[in-house]
Every structure is written in structure tokens, then in C-alpha cells.
Amino acid sequence: MSRILRPEPGETGFWIALGAITFSYVGFLVLLIWATTAFTDPGTLLRSLQAPEIRYAIGLTLITCTLTALLSVILAIPAGYLLARSDFPGRSFIESIIDIPIVLPPMVMGLCLLIFFQTEMGKWIEQFVTFTYTVAGVVVAQFSIAAAFAIRTMHATFQHISFRPEDVARTLGCSRLQALWLVTLPTARRGIFAAGSVAWARSLGEFGPVLVFAGATRMKTEVLPTTVWLELSVGNLDAAVAVSLFMIALAIVILVAMRSAGDLR
Amino acid sequence: MIRLENVSWSAGAFTLEGISLEIPDASYAILMGPTGCGKTTVLEIIAGLRQPIKGRVYIGERDVTRLPSGRRRLGYVPQDGALFPTMKVWEQLGFALRLRRIPSTEIAATVEILADSLEIRHLLGRSVNGLSGGERQRVALGRALAAKPDALILDEPLSALDEDTRGSMMALLKRMQREFAIPALHVTHSQTEALGIGDKIFRFSGGKIVEEPHTPRKP
């Protein structure tokens, strides 16, 4: 746990140097946001955001990000628990596979998805649900990357929770599943919220795999990052800036919510 | 009675070979030994948290070797209490009873009686954060005893307590074990604890558990 340091006499220069380095980066980010905000005015911003295409993209983004976050958490809880609590042959190989979406360029994930759904297995799956160039495809594209971040978060969460209370619960009559459900998951609630938030935030910014796998069809598979790209490509800077500012606001809200959850005692 | 017959267990380079031990009904036994000799593993085998590769485990007359942990009717108090972090004290005490679907009025009555015995009634509404070491161990003991187990096992339950609290907890452990009239196995490094509350003292020696000659203190 970190502790609050009070500068001792003679240490002021040291702390000022650290502060200068940190605040130069913070200042850089604030400048970027300020410059983008100053580029537009409230009237243009509101007008741009009220365009039917952009309202559709906002709605689709909120729905797909939420769905992706929920699916990611549903996967991340058992996967994170398995990785944190058990040792099995090939564990580090499995962990490396799970981390692939974190290190791979997102566009490559989109290409892999597109190719997979051209295989026999992919075509068989699409007999039941069509993913390529559909809204379902947007969720799959976001999920393929966001889930890896959620699993990593849940893995770290379970690693930090002692297994002893679970053991005690088992001696008191719980099955493994009951011990997980009644004791460990309530303890992990902040981690679960963090995993969902990370997945949500990650999906919000996902562009490459959505573009490649689900396409950029207006009023169909267009999410906010796609909107920025489409508006820029036709030279509509006002709309691109409006959508960018809206995304910045969403990102700030989700980050503040994550920090608040982390600070809950 | 708690009885281990020729129990063996191994994980990697660590092995326990042919461990035998018998604690008669209503006897308070102490298990001592150097760090890393397998004392906690023995408790975990009795609790069903680890499966022996050989040998039998009995609680009373029941062979519980293949029984899941929750069906052994055992109370377990780990070193730090391992309280459930999100539950209030009364929820911890009533946990095992709720699992057995006992009516809530009966649970409330049992919890209150237990809380009075452990002198923690004033803590019932508290969350476990902020409880002192001694309070935590009282709650952990109450949680282990609430469902009236057939045996009690304790893993260094007093190691994190200061001298004064340790003294009162020793007396409490002994009193509760007598009240419930069950065998207890208490792992410790402390000679004071062993001599103060043990009816029997066992020690790990050369990979086996041997009983030391010991005259229990009069209550």
C-alpha cells in the first residue's frame, strides 16, 4: 500500500523534479483536450451530435459496449479464477494465448475474424447467426479484444484475494461453487466492476477489428470510432471533433467511475 | 475422536509418510513442530481440503477419508481467522446454519447464545474490518462452532495476538472445547500454549508424529 509522503527539508528539489515530469505529461494531455474543445463551439457540437447517423452510432456504441462488457465479465470470472487458483499442464501457454489480443494490432484480430468466418466452421456458425458485416459482428470484434483485458483484470483480482476464507466456507458445508459464489465473488466485486469497465472502455475505442470484420455501413454497423474516421474521410471536421469530444467525455466518466469503485471501502 | 491411520501425502518434493495420530473424545491436543514440517497440511487433510494418497481419516467412528470437506462436520479456525470480508459478524456466525437451511429465528437464537459465550454480542452488527486480532479469532471460533461440529481444528489461532489477549483466548478456547465436548487439534509453535491448554501434546519428529509425555494442567 502506498503512503503519503511529506517532503523533508532538503528534499524539495527532488519532489519538484518528479512533479515537473509528471505534470508535463498531464499538461500535454490537457492541452490536447483543450485544443480539441476550442476547435468547436457548443452550437456546432450539439448540431453535429443531433445528426441521425451520429445519434444512431452513439446508440449502437452504448449498446454494443455494454453487451461486450457483460459478455467479457461472464467469461473473465471463470477464466480468471481458473488461472489464479489452479495449476495445470500448459498453463503458461494458455495464458500466452489469452494475452494475444492484448499485444496484436487490433486490425489483425479483425482480419483473423473475417478469415475464420470464411472457413467451413465459420460458415456453419453463420447458418444460425450472421456475424460478418452485422451488429452481432461489432460485438464479436469488440469482445475478441476486450475479453482479454477483462480476464487479465479478474486474474489479478483473484490472485489478491486469500483462498483461506473459501477453504473455511468449504469446511462449513459449501461446495466449491457455493464458496466461490457466497464468499469470493462478493469480495471480488470491485475487481468485477473494474473488469467490466476496462472491457467497456476498451470496446469504446475499438476501431480496426470493427472496421475490418463488421464494416463501416452508416445506420447499420457504424460505431463512434468509425464515425470519426468516416467524417474525417469526407472532410467534415466539425462532426469528427464533436464525436471525439463526446468519446472523451464518456472515457472520463468511465475512468472516474472505475477510480471511485477502487476507492470504495 | 480424531484419528489418522498411516496417512501419506505428497506435492512436489514435499512428502508426509505414514502419519498416525489419535485424539480421544473431548481431549484438547496440541501439534507442534518446526516451520515447514507439514503441520498445516495435516490439518488440511483432516479438514478434507487435501486428499491423502494413502491412509484413512476418522472423525468419531466415521471414516471421512473420501467425504467432501463440508460433510465432515468439522470446525476449522485458520491462522488469521480468514473471516469472510464482506459479511457482518452475525452473518459469519450464522453462515453454516444458513447453508443447512435452518429457520432464521433458530439461527438468530443460536447466534445470540454463541455470541454471549464468546463475549462478542456487542460486535454482532459490525463488519469485520476494524476488529482487533482477538475479536477476529473469537468470531472465527464462533463461526466454526455454530453448526455444532464433531471436532475442532485450529491452525496457530493465537500467533498474531499480544500476550494479554493470548492468555484470555487460551482460556476461552479451552472453555468452549469443554462446553461442546468435542476433540480439538491445535497447531502451534508456542510451548506456553501447549503446556497451558493441551491435554495431549504431539510433535513432528523425523517425519512422524509422536506423543510427548505431558501432564495436563488441572482446570
Side-chain angles (χ1 to χ4, degrees):
Chain A
M1 191 184 280
S2 61
R3 63 198 176 98
I4 305 296
L5 288 172
R6 292 182 204 292
E8 298 290 326
E11 286 182 348
T12 315
F14 173 75
W15 293 109
I16 286 177
L18 292 190
I21 292 167
T22 309
F23 286 116
S24 61
Y25 180 64
V26 173
F28 172 65
L29 292 179
V30 170
L31 269 178
L32 289 182
I33 296 170
W34 173 79
T36 313
T37 312
F39 187 86
T40 187
D41 58 82
T44 315
L45 187 81
L46 282 178
R47 243 189 337 275
S48 302
L49 291 178
Q50 277 165 357
E53 299 84 7
I54 293 180
R55 280 166 56 190
Y56 178 88
I58 289 173
L60 185 63
T61 303
L62 295 178
I63 290 168
T64 55
C65 286
T66 306
L67 207 52
T68 299
L70 282 173
L71 292 173
S72 299
V73 168
I74 289 169
L75 170 71
I77 289 173
Y81 186 81
L82 175 79
L83 295 174
R85 289 283 199 264
S86 70
D87 204 7
F88 53 89
R91 205 183 95 119
S92 55
F93 177 71
I94 297 290
E95 280 189 58
S96 306
I97 298 274
I98 289 172
D99 280 347
I100 284 177
I102 292 171
V103 291
L104 217 57
M107 194 83 85
V108 176
M109 283 300 293
L111 186 63
C112 293
L113 281 171
L114 200 57
I115 291 170
F116 171 75
F117 281 99
Q118 298 309 309
T119 63
E120 286 307 312
M121 189 193 284
K123 283 178 184 165
W124 181 80
I125 293 170
E126 289 214 311
Q127 285 179 338
F128 306 101
V129 189
T130 309
F131 289 105
T132 318
Y133 301 122
T134 64
V135 170
V138 174
V139 175
V140 170
Q142 290 173 341
F143 174 79
S144 61
I145 293 174
F149 286 89
I151 291 173
R152 206 179 238 205
T153 307
M154 284 318 299
H155 182 184
T157 299
F158 287 127
Q159 273 181 323
H160 283 93
I161 294 175
S162 167
F163 59 86
R164 282 284 172 219
E166 252 178 86
D167 280 352
V168 172
R170 286 170 58 208
T171 66
L172 294 174
C174 282
S175 64
R176 271 207 179 270
L177 182 62
Q178 280 178 310
L180 170 66
W181 183 258
L182 296 173
V183 175
T184 308
L185 285 188
T187 311
R189 64 192 188 281
R190 286 206 296 267
I192 295 170
F193 183 75
S197 307
V198 164
W200 201 96
R202 182 70 215 193
S203 306
L204 176 68
E206 218 51 80
F207 171 64
V210 175
L211 180 70
V212 174
F213 183 56
T217 314
R218 293 226 102 153
M219 307 294 280
K220 190 181 174 198
T221 59
E222 181 186 353
V223 283
L224 288 175
T226 324
T227 308
V228 176
W229 179 71
L230 285 174
E231 297 297 350
L232 275 177
S233 63
V234 294
N236 189 355
L237 262 181
D238 284 340
V241 168
V243 172
S244 301
L245 285 173
F246 183 75
M247 288 176 72
I248 289 169
L250 273 183
I252 290 172
V253 167
I254 202 84
L255 290 170
V256 168
M258 274 172 71
R259 293 253 181 263
S260 308
D263 290 341
L264 285 176
R265 289 288 178 269
Chain B
M1 179 187 65
I2 302 173
R3 191 165 86 239
L4 297 183
E5 277 181 11
N6 210 24
V7 165
S8 298
W9 184 83
S10 84
F14 181 76
T15 58
L16 288 174
E17 275 293 342
I19 298 290
S20 295
L21 171 80
E22 183 167 333
I23 301 159
D25 282 335
S27 178
Y28 199 111
I30 300 286
L31 177 59
M32 302 185 77
T35 304
C37 68
K39 303 185 295 295
T40 296
T41 306
V42 168
L43 290 192
E44 289 173 344
I45 288 171
I46 296 170
L49 300 170
R50 294 177 191 268
Q51 197 60 45
I53 49 176
K54 223 170 69 183
R56 316 301 305 169
V57 180
Y58 294 88
I59 294 173
E61 293 307 317
R62 292 183 303 139
D63 181 350
V64 298
T65 316
R66 299 289 158 200
L67 274 187
S69 189
R71 291 178 52 199
R72 296 189 176 203
R73 299 209 300 264
L74 196 79
Y76 175 40
V77 180
Q79 188 171 5
D80 56 355
L83 298 180
F84 305 141
T86 57
M87 292 183 202
K88 297 205 181 294
V89 168
W90 67 267
E91 290 174 294
Q92 316 255 351
L93 297 186
F95 185 82
L97 303 173
R98 280 199 304 281
L99 286 176
R100 285 159 181 76
R101 300 183 186 284
I102 288 170
S104 54
T105 48
E106 212 174 304
I107 295 178
T110 308
V111 165
E112 283 184 14
I113 291 167
L114 202 52
D116 285 338
S117 285
L118 294 161
E119 296 161 18
I120 52 171
R121 187 186 258 267
H122 61 291
L123 300 176
L124 284 178
R126 290 262 300 270
S127 98
V128 298
N129 299 321
L131 294 185
S132 70
E135 289 169 342
R136 294 179 76 86
Q137 288 306 70
R138 281 168 193 258
V139 175
L141 180 62
R143 184 182 57 182
L145 292 172
K148 297 191 171 59
D150 291 343
L152 181 64
I153 53 175
L154 310 104
D155 192 0
E156 302 195 37
L158 313 179
S159 61
L161 306 182
D162 59 62
E163 278 305 318
D164 290 344
T165 316
R166 186 179 300 191
S168 60
M169 269 305 287
M170 276 167 58
L172 179 71
L173 283 173
K174 188 80 177 182
R175 177 166 61 80
M176 296 303 284
Q177 182 258 341
R178 288 259 158 83
E179 258 178 43
F180 281 77
I182 50 175
L185 178 59
H186 172 140
V187 161
T188 182
H189 285 285
S190 160
Q191 196 75 22
T192 317
E193 282 174 35
L195 297 174
I197 47 175
D199 300 322
K200 280 175 167 286
I201 299 178
F202 294 94
R203 189 179 288 276
F204 258 100
S205 175
K208 302 278 178 204
I209 294 180
V210 291
E211 187 174 349
E212 288 190 345
H214 167 61
T215 312
R217 261 188 209 174
K218 293 224 166 69

